[in-house]
Amino acid sequence: MELAVWMWTLGTLPLAMAGSGAVALGPQPWLILPLGPAQFFLGATEPPWALRLHLLFGPWFLWAEVPPRVALARAPGHALLALVRTETGLSLGWEISGEPWLSLFGSLGMDNALGVRLRHRDLWGALLIRQGGLSAWCGLCF
């Protein structure tokens, strides 16, 4: 799974659960546009686009994506958890917010990763360790 697609699928659980939009700059820039109960992803990836349809909103979240992915998520306390099924396997995406400005996020399963995200209002920056490499990201949520 490409880096920007990983961020779309597993690394931006708050955006996925809120159905909000974002612009991200990093090794593979991307844009998420909210369209009612859907989100449209456009990025420097293969494929260059994806569509997420929200089927269920909180406290349990369910969404389906094209290319094919299905996620079931929950937000217990200060944690976000999502079980994501793709064509190639199963992953657990997670994010833990200790403070409103700081969170740890990552995934376990077919794609293991660990990151830290800093937020200030709608701005954010993140460092991600994935597949032995370190990448830096920044962005704006809307």
Side-chain angles (χ1 to χ4, degrees):
M1 187 183 308
E2 288 195 54
L3 190 54
V5 174
W6 184 90
M7 289 289 286
W8 157 258
T9 306
L10 296 169
T12 56
L13 290 182
L15 291 173
M17 290 181 176
S20 57
V23 171
L25 302 174
Q28 296 175 352
W30 47 262
L31 169 69
I32 297 175
L33 296 173
L35 306 167
Q39 289 173 304
F40 181 71
F41 167 88
L42 183 61
T45 62
E46 185 55 46
W49 65 272
L51 182 64
R52 176 180 290 146
L53 302 173
H54 292 265
L55 305 172
L56 184 62
F57 288 92
W60 287 93
F61 299 84
L62 177 66
W63 62 82
E65 298 175 3
V66 176
R69 281 185 289 273
V70 175
L72 178 63
R74 174 93 175 152
H78 295 286
L80 306 174
L81 301 170
L83 192 58
V84 179
R85 174 75 175 151
T86 67
E87 294 174 334
T88 58
L90 192 63
S91 287
L92 175 68
W94 56 271
E95 183 156 346
I96 300 170
S97 297
E99 297 290 333
W101 55 272
L102 174 67
S103 63
L104 294 174
F105 66 98
S107 68
L108 298 169
M110 66 169 224
D111 202 351
N112 298 316
L114 175 64
V116 62
R117 184 177 351 244
L118 301 171
R119 285 181 297 278
H120 178 68
R121 296 190 178 125
D122 292 334
L123 299 173
W124 60 270
L127 293 174
L128 175 67
I129 300 170
R130 182 176 169 264
Q131 297 178 348
L134 177 65
S135 60
W137 299 81
C138 66
L140 170 71
C141 299
F142 55 89

